[in-house]
Amino acid sequence: MRLLPILLLSAAGFTVLTTEFIIVGLLPAIARDLEVSIPQAGLLVTLFAFTVAAFGPFLTAYFARFERRKLFISVLIMFGLANTLAALAPNIWVMAVARLIPALGLPVFWALASETAVDIVGPDYAGRAIAKIGFGIVCATVFGIPVGTLISDAFGWRSAFGILAVIAFAKALLLFIYLPKTSLHQHQVSFRSQFKILRSPVMVGHVLLSIIVFSGMFTAYTYLADILERLAGFDGTVVGWCLMGFGAVGLIGNSLGGRAVDRHPLIASMMFCAFMIAGLVALVPNIHSPFGLAAAMGIWGITQAALFLVSHVRLMKAAPEAPAFAASLNIAGANLGIGLGAMIGGRVIDSVGLQGLGFAAAAFILASILLALALMTFKPREVFA
């Protein structure tokens, strides 16, 4: 029975993460319909990400004291309402409000769901437990984002948000029926004490590493649909299937990341970053080669899914005394990186064009490898104890 709560949280995580990232595949359609440019529409990604980064740790530290079942159900209802508003948004400003609301709930859900999973299986299997929760994230990439793109191409982007709203309400009902009431974390740390872990330079270094990694990933990934439309010349349907392939190989990355991070988080991070650089740099030069494009997107998709998981567990292992808060710091750092990446990618498009995105992203990933090497100069007990 230990597996059922984790699977339920994984299914809920699918809806939560799809809400954040579905917009990646819908950006061109949203920009056209709301009469804004692609970089301006990309600011919706930045708004969501920066909201998570700014409020995530504080909200997670505060809501950690609440009973988890009620909390998770409330978050999903909030996501359903926000996606309904997005489906009805008449302009970019209402759309911005619709993106702001779920950004407040995402870090609370993801951090506390991760802690709940680790509580169920124990810290020695944290990576594999969170990999099961992370399966919902990968499914959001495999099915949520590309299916949303296909729905948008067939019925309009508003339909994608409408369907996602229905799914969020349905998942809330499933949690209400099947998720047992959970006790509070046995070793609950006070609100103030949780912030003390930021006094550690190593912990700050880990948060900075997440910021740089996600800045690199989303400098390019935010505009992947636009790259495939404008540079490869694909229509919306083909873009949807390409995104599905990108996400499908992420199942491999999720499994590899879950095993590698339990052995050594920093080495795992550097390994996947190194392969990601190869995929990012190879993408545009192979944009008209079916095999080359598939290989580049495959490498990128595997490593991106792996780094989602590796970064998350890396922070939790760095602060075992407050794992949920550490997870929220990773979520905050990751979303700060996502927002910066979307902004930087927009500037790259305006200045040098879509063809420069892969190289700009690779520069960030290279910087993250250098930072991980620096963090490894600390003794292991200082980093992970």
Side-chain angles (χ1 to χ4, degrees):
M1 293 301 291
R2 285 184 171 190
L3 186 60
L4 179 60
I6 294 178
L7 292 178
L8 287 171
L9 292 174
S10 178
F14 166 85
T15 305
V16 169
L17 269 295
T18 298
T19 296
E20 177 172 13
F21 296 127
I22 192 173
I23 198 168
V24 169
L26 307 182
L27 272 185
I30 291 173
R32 286 191 295 267
D33 191 41
L34 299 184
E35 298 180 346
V36 295
S37 69
I38 288 288
Q40 286 173 327
L43 291 176
L44 292 171
V45 178
T46 298
L47 172 67
F48 194 109
F50 281 1
T51 301
V52 173
F55 297 101
F58 301 98
L59 290 172
T60 300
Y62 178 77
F63 283 105
R65 69 190 74 182
F66 286 75
E67 198 274 317
R68 301 297 163 77
R69 179 171 173 265
K70 292 180 181 178
L71 184 63
F72 294 152
I73 292 170
S74 298
V75 168
L76 281 170
I77 291 173
M78 183 173 68
F79 271 68
L81 293 172
N83 284 320
T84 301
L85 181 61
L88 301 173
N91 55 55
I92 194 70
W93 302 109
V94 175
M95 190 67 183
V97 174
R99 299 298 293 166
L100 180 68
I101 295 170
L104 298 172
L106 181 142
V108 175
F109 178 89
W110 180 216
L112 296 179
S114 301
E115 183 191 62
T116 301
V118 174
D119 283 347
I120 291 171
V121 303
D124 290 341
Y125 298 95
R128 294 172 201 186
I130 297 174
K132 289 184 174 64
I133 299 290
F135 183 75
I137 298 175
V138 177
C139 284
T141 308
V142 175
F143 299 111
I145 297 172
V147 169
T149 305
L150 293 172
I151 291 171
S152 171
D153 191 55
F155 305 107
W157 63 268
R158 296 179 187 278
S159 299
F161 280 108
I163 292 171
L164 191 55
V166 173
I167 293 173
F169 290 130
K171 295 285 177 64
L173 180 61
L174 286 174
L175 289 182
F176 177 77
I177 295 172
Y178 294 110
L179 187 67
K181 288 187 177 181
T182 55
S183 59
L184 293 178
H185 196 245
Q186 292 180 352
H187 306 291
Q188 189 64 46
V189 182
S190 70
F191 184 89
R192 185 175 180 180
S193 297
Q194 293 180 73
F195 283 88
K196 289 182 180 179
I197 66 175
L198 285 172
R199 294 178 180 177
S200 165
V202 173
M203 195 67 191
V204 173
H206 276 280
V207 175
L208 180 59
L209 180 55
S210 290
I211 294 172
I212 297 173
V213 167
F214 280 81
S215 293
M217 289 196 297
F218 280 82
T219 292
Y221 183 64
T222 302
Y223 304 99
L224 179 56
D226 201 32
I227 290 173
L228 294 173
E229 276 196 14
R230 289 204 280 163
L231 294 187
F234 298 154
D235 61 24
T237 300
V238 176
V239 169
W241 286 111
C242 286
L243 292 177
M244 188 172 291
F246 183 95
V249 296
L251 293 170
I252 301 171
N254 187 62
S255 177
L256 293 175
R259 295 179 181 278
V261 73
D262 279 334
R263 296 189 183 96
H264 199 301
L266 285 172
I267 290 177
S269 183
M270 288 188 293
M271 176 183 69
F272 289 116
C273 280
F275 280 102
M276 177 176 278
I277 289 174
L280 288 168
V281 170
L283 183 71
V284 172
N286 290 279
I287 200 72
H288 296 299
S289 165
F291 176 79
L293 179 60
M297 288 187 65
I299 294 170
W300 183 7
I302 289 171
T303 54
Q304 179 148 310
L307 284 167
F308 265 97
L309 176 65
V310 168
S311 298
H312 201 69
V313 179
R314 175 173 50 78
L315 264 292
M316 294 181 75
K317 285 180 175 285
E321 69 276 15
F325 183 67
S328 75
L329 290 175
N330 174 67
I331 295 165
N335 277 274
L336 180 57
I338 290 169
L340 288 171
M343 291 177 65
I344 292 165
R347 294 296 298 272
V348 171
I349 292 172
D350 288 338
S351 57
V352 300
L354 284 166
Q355 64 273 13
L357 287 175
F359 295 96
F364 278 99
I365 302 301
L366 178 59
S368 74
I369 294 175
L370 298 177
L371 177 56
L373 282 170
L375 286 171
M376 286 185 67
T377 62
F378 292 89
K379 294 180 182 179
R381 62 181 176 84
E382 293 181 85
V383 180
F384 302 111

